[in-house]
């Protein structure tokens, strides 16, 4: 065993051991659909100087989302209810009272120059909300009253806040604050003015105020020169914090101040939005799909397929541990997407194994061991380019979006990194050990790479010349686009309650009502997508889209049939949980991500191929949305997750084909071969076995989810199946023909 192999083996062992430790020691949170959670009802209480309009309540919703879901993985439900109430549902909350307190904090942060101490009763009476003509007076950390100048900076001037621990200086837990833009200059001016005062003078202090309370009032260090101020645009807030207080303060500062004060008017525990039967069916579907995918890989690649299946289990473990460490909340669609990611993570292994088969068949590498090493080496560029492209999208979704779209960026990035680790470290470490065994050296066909494979053999016999008529493929793609666009124009999109809002009706029943029976009754009444939750023993909440009077009566009748008495306690209009700001941020993030992917692909492959890949991606998006329009399926948060998954898959598929096209083009230049369409056809033909095997593995999981997962996962699995088929087709017969046509036009 070489030194490199020993290092890979030890690294693989360390990664798996650490992931196993984290997975066993850090509990994972289950979402509202699986476990329920805590519901907190907040009511806005605007003061005389606050704007009490509808836009103000919507802005309050967005600030609350930022506080609750900084990474986008907490999966809360935050909706406006009526004109002045906000309903927040939090999964897996350990301390509901503390959560309500954090949500209710106004978090108005300001920075003031200290004018001096206040000693008389008149100054003390000024209080936190003084007459505008008089300076505010507040007690500092020790209780001494300080007279403060007007605020020089506010929370709007803060770029980022973070909780830090410094054991060396003795400061312990503190919060670092970075200012942005003009805030940097104002901070330097504020500290520079205070530095002109002598040491010990109260006016040398700067007060940091949160919600009319001084949380820190340090003196400017003697090293700071008069008028110069503290440069760098950053400061520390020290307040004898423990870790929880420091993190809470950083969260409040980053989330921003509430536009208006809010007050908690109700707090209770709510049950899951999905029934036990739906959860059980989905678990069985995931188990069946994963087993079928593992068996398929083993049948195709034999011993190496077994090792790939083991590596995929390790991939699942690594991803799960990373999500648990980040405090992610797992919902049912999230779990289904997690299982699908296991099926798609096989792609890197398939790329390596197919390249190893090519090397072995060409007799350049007469032993499985050398063929496998060449397979890893030759597949590295395709694996790197496809995953880096996806990581660019994931990073931009995290930076520019918010809410569940940001959360998707986090989970997508984790999945990509875990996939590369499982394939390039764990699979390789296991494969190196296996192919070195004397038994496999004597029986090379057991490795799974000592033959070309059924798909490659059939293609070699028929030599289909796939790019003989590239414009015919483009005509078929154009026809599909027209048909999909017609569905969007004629049928329209049925946006779900997450986008449009709807009605929330709460009932008090004479006896406890089984939520599964309530869901079935509402589905029979014509409301299959109604969200049903229980709270306490005899309360039932139904959340639907917009209802007519007749539909509202039908909902009441369906609930009334479940109990001898069902009294309506509340009937309110609720706003969308995916609000306007979130949707705009998601669209901006997607647009920037596509542009960034185009730039990367242009740098790696040429602008022509990058344009073709992005065009194929747009083709996939339009067709998937159009099919859902024709079918009348809801476009909701679950569909959004499926659409983002399809975007990542489509780009990866095109990159694999273009990587082989780039490689063949370099060889063709040496051989003076100039017919680009013939080279493109050979690239398609050589990558087709990988495409078929990867697509089959993912399709097995999706078919199981669609067939056995119940109504809760049917639309999710259907969207992904359509996206898988369209993405596979477009990478071969939209992106590649478009590249051929553009190349020939340019010449």
């Amino acid at each position: 065993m070489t030194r490199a192999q020993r290092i890979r083996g030890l690294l693989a062992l360390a990664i798996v051991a650490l992931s196993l430790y984290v997975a066993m020691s850090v509990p994972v949170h289950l979402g509202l659909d699986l476990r329920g959670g805590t519901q907190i009802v907040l009511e806005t209480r605007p003061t005389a100087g606050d704007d009490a309009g509808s836009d103000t309540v919507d802005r309050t919703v967005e600030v609350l989302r930022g506080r609750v879901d900084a990474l986008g993985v907490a999966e809360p439900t935050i909706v406006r209810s009526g004109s002045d109430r906000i309903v927040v549902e939090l999964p897996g909350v350990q301390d509901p009272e503390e959560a309500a307190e954090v949500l209710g904090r106004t978090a108005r942060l300001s920075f003031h120059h200290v004018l001096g101490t206040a000693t008389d009763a008149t100054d003390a009476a000024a209080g936190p909300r003084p007459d505008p003509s008089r300076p505010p007076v507040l007690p500092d950390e020790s209780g001494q009253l300080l007279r403060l100048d007007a605020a020089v900076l506010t929370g709007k001037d803060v770029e980022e806040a973070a909780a830090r621990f410094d054991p060396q200086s003795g400061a312990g837990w503190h919060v670092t604050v970075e200012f942005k833009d003009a805030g940097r200059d104002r901070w330097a001016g504020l500290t520079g003015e205070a530095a002109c005062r002598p040491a010990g003078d109260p006016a040398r202090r700067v007060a940091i105020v949160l919600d009319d309370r001084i949380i820190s009032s340090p003196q400017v260090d003697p090293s700071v020169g008069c008028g110069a101020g503290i440069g760098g645009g950053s400061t520390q807030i020290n307040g004898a914090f423990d870790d929880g207080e420091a993190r809470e303060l950083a969260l409040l500062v980053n989330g921003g101040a509430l536009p208006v004060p809010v007050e908690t008017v109700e707090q209770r525990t709510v049950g899951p939005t999905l029934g036990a039967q739906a959860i059980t069916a989905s678990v069985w579907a995931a188990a069946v799909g994963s087993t079928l995918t593992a068996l398929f890989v083993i049948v195709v690649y034999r011993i190496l397929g077994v090792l790939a299946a083991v590596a995929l289990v390790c991939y699942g473990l690594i991803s799960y541990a990373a999500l648990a460490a980040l405090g992610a909340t797992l919902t049912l669609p999230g779990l289904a997407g997690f299982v699908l990611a296991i099926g798609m993570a096989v792609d890197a292994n398939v790329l390596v194994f197919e390249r190893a088969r090519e090397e072995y068949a060409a007799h350049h590498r007469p032993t499985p061991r050398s063929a496998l090493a060449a397979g890893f080496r030759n597949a590295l560029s395709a694996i790197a380019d496809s995953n880096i492209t996806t990581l660019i999208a994931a990073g931009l979704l995290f930076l520019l979006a918010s809410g569940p779209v940001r959360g998707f960026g986090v989970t997508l990035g984790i999945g990509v990194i875990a996939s590369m680790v499982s394939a390039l470290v764990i699979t390789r470490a296991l494969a190196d050990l296996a192919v070195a065994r004397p038994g496999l050296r004597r029986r090379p066909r057991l490795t799974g790479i000592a033959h070309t494979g059924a798909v490659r053999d059939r293609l070699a016999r028929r030599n289909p010349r796939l790019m003989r008529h590239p414009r015919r493929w483009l005509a078929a793609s154009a026809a599909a686009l027209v048909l999909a666009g017609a569905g969007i124009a004629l049928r329209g999109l049925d946006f779900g309650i997450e986008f449009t809002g709807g009605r929330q009706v709460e009932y008090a029943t004479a006896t406890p009502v089984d939520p599964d029976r309530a869901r079935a009754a509402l589905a029979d009444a014509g409301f299959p997508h109604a969200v049903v939750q229980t709270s306490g023993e005899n309360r039932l909440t139904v959340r639907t889209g917009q209802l007519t009077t007749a539909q509202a009566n039908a909902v009441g009748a369906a609930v009334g049939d479940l109990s001898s008495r069902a009294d309506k306690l509340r009937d309110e209009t609720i706003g969308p949980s995916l609000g306007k700001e979130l949707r705009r941020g998601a669209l901006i993030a997607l647009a920037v991500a596509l542009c960034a992917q185009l730039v990367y692909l242009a740098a790696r492959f040429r602008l022509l191929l990058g344009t073709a890949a992005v065009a194929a991606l747009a083709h996939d998006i339009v067709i998937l949305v159009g099919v859902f329009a024709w079918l009348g399926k809801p476009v909701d948060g679950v569909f959004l997750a499926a659409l983002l998954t399809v975007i990542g898959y489509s780009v990866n598929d095109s990159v694999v084909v273009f990587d082989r096209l780039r490689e063949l083009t370099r060889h063709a230049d040496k051989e003076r071969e100039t017919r680009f369409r013939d080279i493109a056809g050979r690239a398609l033909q050589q990558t087709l076995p990988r495409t078929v095997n990867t697509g089959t593995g993912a399709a097995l999981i999706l078919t199981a989810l669609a067939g056995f997962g119940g109504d809760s996962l049917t639309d999710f699995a259907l969207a992904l199946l359509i996206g898988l088929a369209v993405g596979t087709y477009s990478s071969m017969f939209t992106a590649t023909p478009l590249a051929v046509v553009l190349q020939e036009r340019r010449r």
Side-chain angles (χ1 to χ4, degrees), residues 359-528:
E359 290 294 325
Y360 195 92
H363 302 294
H364 296 157
R365 305 288 187 272
T367 67
R369 186 174 184 177
S370 56
L372 185 66
F376 275 103
R377 184 171 60 252
N378 294 336
L380 183 60
S381 62
I383 294 173
D385 283 331
S386 60
N387 285 293
I388 290 173
T389 305
T390 307
L391 281 175
I392 289 173
L396 289 171
L397 288 177
F398 174 76
L399 291 174
L400 301 178
S402 60
V405 179
R406 166 177 278 196
F408 180 83
V410 174
T411 55
L412 179 63
I414 290 173
V416 168
I417 295 172
S419 173
M420 295 183 69
V421 169
S422 68
L424 301 180
V425 178
I426 297 176
T427 300
R428 183 157 193 184
L430 295 173
D432 285 341
L433 289 175
V435 296
R437 300 300 94 191
L440 286 182
R441 287 205 300 267
R442 291 192 298 268
R443 302 177 183 83
R445 290 186 68 84
L446 289 178
T447 61
I449 60 173
H451 58 90
T452 54
V455 176
R456 196 180 303 277
D457 289 342
R458 182 170 297 181
L459 289 172
R461 288 195 302 269
R462 295 189 176 185
N463 190 22
R465 296 183 62 190
L466 298 171
M467 285 295 104
R468 183 187 305 175
H469 303 292
R471 285 179 172 79
R472 293 182 182 178
W473 295 116
L474 292 180
S477 298
L481 283 174
V482 171
L483 186 61
I488 298 172
L490 298 177
R491 296 290 299 271
L493 298 178
D494 179 17
F495 286 103
I497 188 174
E498 293 97 332
F499 292 102
T500 63
R503 291 272 285 278
Q504 179 169 286
V505 188
E506 184 179 359
Y507 299 90
T509 57
T511 56
V513 174
D514 180 24
D516 281 330
R517 285 185 57 213
R519 294 183 188 98
L522 288 167
D524 294 339
F527 306 97

Side-chain angles (χ1 to χ4, degrees), residues 460-661:
R461 288 195 302 269
R462 295 189 176 185
N463 190 22
R465 296 183 62 190
L466 298 171
M467 285 295 104
R468 183 187 305 175
H469 303 292
R471 285 179 172 79
R472 293 182 182 178
W473 295 116
L474 292 180
S477 298
L481 283 174
V482 171
L483 186 61
I488 298 172
L490 298 177
R491 296 290 299 271
L493 298 178
D494 179 17
F495 286 103
I497 188 174
E498 293 97 332
F499 292 102
T500 63
R503 291 272 285 278
Q504 179 169 286
V505 188
E506 184 179 359
Y507 299 90
T509 57
T511 56
V513 174
D514 180 24
D516 281 330
R517 285 185 57 213
R519 294 183 188 98
L522 288 167
D524 294 339
F527 306 97
H529 300 292
V531 177
V532 177
Q533 283 179 289
T534 58
S535 59
E537 293 185 354
N538 301 329
R539 287 197 177 187
L540 188 75
T541 300
V542 179
R543 190 179 300 162
T544 68
Q546 301 293 343
L547 299 175
T548 63
T549 302
Q551 290 173 327
N553 293 334
V555 170
V559 174
D561 292 339
L562 301 173
S563 178
S564 59
R565 190 184 80 251
D567 300 325
K568 186 185 294 185
L569 299 179
R570 184 183 301 163
D571 185 352
E572 294 179 329
T573 300
I574 58 172
S577 58
L578 301 178
K580 182 171 62 178
E581 291 293 328
L582 191 151
R583 295 197 299 270
R584 182 165 59 240
L587 290 175
I588 293 173
L590 282 175
V592 175
L594 291 178
C595 292
Q597 287 179 328
L598 175 60
V599 171
Y600 177 81
L601 293 174
R604 289 289 292 156
F605 295 104
R606 289 189 302 170
L607 179 60
L608 180 145
L609 297 182
T611 303
V614 174
L617 173 57
H619 162 277
D620 298 345
I621 294 173
V622 173
I623 290 181
L624 177 55
V625 174
V627 170
F628 259 54
W630 279 116
L631 295 176
K633 295 289 185 179
V635 176
D636 51 15
V638 172
F639 176 81
L640 179 62
L643 183 64
L644 292 171
T645 303
V646 168
I647 289 172
Y649 179 82
S650 176
V651 173
N652 278 8
D653 231 13
S654 298
V655 167
V656 170
V657 177
F658 288 162
D659 179 81
R660 184 60 63 92
L661 178 58

Side-chain angles (χ1 to χ4, degrees), residues 123-384:
D123 281 339
R129 295 186 180 274
D131 184 293
S133 62
R134 303 189 60 181
V137 175
L138 294 173
D140 66 6
E141 306 92 313
S142 64
Q144 183 183 30
L145 293 174
L146 299 179
R147 285 186 295 111
L148 308 181
D149 203 350
V152 178
L153 299 99
T154 66
K156 295 181 180 179
D157 297 305
V158 175
E159 176 74 30
E160 184 183 13
R164 297 280 188 264
F165 181 74
D166 185 4
Q168 296 181 350
S169 65
W173 282 97
H174 59 273
V175 177
T176 60
V177 176
E178 298 285 340
F179 297 105
K180 60 184 178 183
D181 303 331
R184 297 172 178 266
D185 296 332
R186 284 198 285 268
W187 172 247
L190 174 62
T191 53
E193 181 182 352
C196 296
R197 302 288 181 159
D201 188 336
R204 194 178 176 89
R205 298 164 70 181
V206 172
I208 304 172
V209 179
L210 179 69
D211 286 348
D212 297 327
R213 180 173 67 90
I214 295 178
I215 56 175
S216 184
S217 57
Q219 280 212 1
V220 175
D221 191 87
S223 62
V224 178
C226 175
I230 300 176
S234 65
T235 187
Q236 286 187 5
I237 301 177
N238 301 297
F241 304 122
D242 59 26
D243 59 338
E245 292 169 336
R247 291 192 176 97
E248 178 185 317
L249 176 57
L251 178 69
L252 290 170
V253 173
N254 286 325
L258 295 179
V260 291
V262 297
E263 181 179 330
T264 302
V265 296
E266 191 176 343
Q267 177 183 314
R268 56 183 168 171
T269 301
V270 294
T273 59
L274 292 177
Q277 294 179 352
I279 296 173
T280 302
S282 302
V283 170
W284 273 106
V288 170
S290 300
T291 303
L292 289 176
T293 300
L295 290 176
F296 171 75
V297 173
I298 292 171
V299 168
V300 174
Y301 296 110
R302 303 181 187 181
I303 295 296
L304 289 182
V306 174
L307 301 181
V310 173
L312 290 179
V313 173
C314 295
Y315 162 85
L317 176 64
I318 295 169
S319 301
Y320 179 87
L323 292 173
L326 287 175
T329 299
L330 295 182
T331 61
L332 190 60
L335 286 171
F338 180 76
V339 174
L340 171 66
I342 295 177
M344 294 177 66
V346 75
D347 183 43
N349 294 292
V350 170
L351 277 170
V352 171
F353 296 160
E354 289 298 329
R355 293 307 299 258
R357 281 180 169 182
E358 291 179 21
E359 290 294 325
Y360 195 92
H363 302 294
H364 296 157
R365 305 288 187 272
T367 67
R369 186 174 184 177
S370 56
L372 185 66
F376 275 103
R377 184 171 60 252
N378 294 336
L380 183 60
S381 62
I383 294 173

Side-chain angles (χ1 to χ4, degrees), residues 647-695:
I647 289 172
Y649 179 82
S650 176
V651 173
N652 278 8
D653 231 13
S654 298
V655 167
V656 170
V657 177
F658 288 162
D659 179 81
R660 184 60 63 92
L661 178 58
R662 176 179 56 187
E663 180 181 331
L664 293 178
T665 301
R666 286 199 295 261
H667 292 305
D669 290 341
K670 295 178 182 178
E671 300 166 3
R672 299 291 189 270
E673 183 181 345
T674 58
R675 192 171 171 81
F676 186 79
R677 68 169 60 187
D678 292 336
I679 302 173
R682 282 200 290 135
L684 272 184
Q685 189 168 319
Q686 291 178 10
T687 56
L688 196 57
R690 165 263 166 197
T691 303
V692 170
N693 291 340
T694 298

